[in-house]
Amino acid sequence: MSNPLTNLPANLTALQLHVAFWDYNNDSIITPVEIYNGFRDLGFSILFSIGGLLIPLFFSYPTTLGHSWLPDPFFRIYTDSIHKAKHGSDSGIYDSDGHLREPLFDEMFAKMDSSPRDMEAECGNETSKREGSLGVGDLFRLHARNRVAADPAGWSFAAMEWWTTWLLLQRDGRLWKDDLRAVYDGTLFWKIRNERMEEEGWRQGYSYKDWAGSLWHNGTWKMWEANNTQIEQASRE
């Protein structure tokens, strides 16, 4: 399946582009089956992808309101009114119409990135200069900062979104700014799917195998810390 981004209308919002990956036939409607298949194409397990069906369960009706007061009996999501599915306690990076707020995106990293200024990220054999990143602790602080009163649904949705994003993208235990920017406009999803079709595959993320293997061999779920310790020990020898 080719990348249909070049065939999409030029006036789509960032939020519409964000969900376009799951619209397999470009009909501006995302079905539960397409949501499941999209998560599988991104490398998520069968169980996790089934859990992804909570998305149409909660977000179908808000997008249906752009067309009808009646709920969609098939729990479809209408991408032309995807902005109606915005929830409270989010980061605010998308405005009420679904456009990307670049200044708020930059501000999020300026305020929440607690990593050292000279930190670099290792990815395969290449070392990329630090472009800004958010660790697990930073994400907890970000989620806590964005929580508003009496909004348990928004708290839960935001937590699930950040957790899913971290599982998909983490590199050295962190979410990197360039990667996250490409998530907000949807372009990274196509890159992940295409790389998974290649021999080396997608080399970022965190799976249950990583969790179990790191606990078994290193006694911690933070496999990147164990890897860094091993590298430091090897450099001293």
Side-chain angles (χ1 to χ4, degrees):
M1 182 173 61
S2 61
N3 184 341
L5 279 175
T6 55
N7 300 324
L8 294 175
N11 61 343
L12 293 184
T13 66
L15 186 54
Q16 288 172 324
L17 291 171
H18 173 75
V19 301
F21 174 80
W22 282 267
D23 184 8
Y24 276 63
N25 55 1
N26 290 336
D27 62 353
S28 299
I29 295 175
I30 301 175
T31 66
V33 172
E34 288 176 316
I35 288 177
Y36 173 84
N37 289 336
F39 277 108
R40 291 293 288 151
D41 281 348
L42 291 174
F44 287 100
S45 67
I46 292 175
L47 184 61
F48 193 100
S49 300
I50 292 174
L53 298 180
L54 290 172
I55 294 174
L57 181 65
F58 288 109
F59 295 118
S60 172
Y61 185 60
T63 67
T64 304
L65 289 174
H67 302 267
S68 170
W69 286 101
L70 298 176
D72 187 293
F74 302 107
F75 293 96
R76 293 173 294 187
I77 292 175
Y78 294 81
T79 62
D80 59 350
S81 51
I82 190 65
H83 60 284
K84 292 183 177 293
K86 271 179 56 66
H87 57 80
S89 301
D90 65 355
S91 63
I93 303 300
Y94 296 117
D95 66 17
S96 58
D97 294 320
H99 297 290
L100 190 68
R101 292 169 165 169
E102 292 280 4
L104 285 183
F105 178 76
D106 293 334
E107 181 184 275
M108 177 175 68
F109 280 87
K111 288 185 175 180
M112 309 307 297
D113 182 359
S114 64
S115 62
R117 295 288 95 186
D118 59 349
M119 182 177 179
E120 294 183 340
E122 295 284 345
C123 186
N125 294 323
E126 299 180 358
T127 300
S128 60
K129 291 188 179 298
R130 183 187 179 282
E131 70 269 20
S133 62
L134 298 174
V136 174
D138 299 328
L139 294 177
F140 273 110
R141 291 190 301 111
L142 178 64
H143 182 262
R145 186 194 71 166
N146 292 336
R147 287 200 307 262
V148 297
D151 184 29
W155 306 339
S156 301
F157 295 146
M160 288 188 292
E161 289 162 0
W162 282 118
W163 177 238
T164 301
T165 303
W166 188 87
L167 289 176
L168 182 64
L169 299 184
Q170 77 83 22
R171 176 162 41 102
D172 293 336
R174 307 184 69 82
L175 295 181
W176 295 84
K177 187 175 182 179
D178 287 351
D179 288 339
L180 195 56
R181 176 62 178 78
V183 165
Y184 274 107
D185 65 18
T187 54
L188 190 66
F189 300 133
W190 305 104
K191 177 183 178 181
I192 293 173
R193 190 202 64 186
N194 291 337
E195 288 194 10
R196 291 191 70 249
M197 293 179 179
E198 299 174 357
E199 184 176 352
E200 291 189 359
W202 175 244
R203 301 179 64 183
Q204 295 176 218
Y206 190 87
S207 69
Y208 70 91
K209 293 181 180 179
D210 295 324
W211 174 79
S214 186
L215 277 179
W216 178 261
H217 295 290
N218 305 309
T220 175
W221 63 276
K222 298 179 180 180
M223 62 180 186
W224 55 91
E225 291 185 355
N227 292 338
N228 290 336
T229 300
Q230 293 172 2
I231 293 174
E232 291 176 1
Q233 291 175 345
S235 64
R236 297 193 190 102
E237 296 176 355

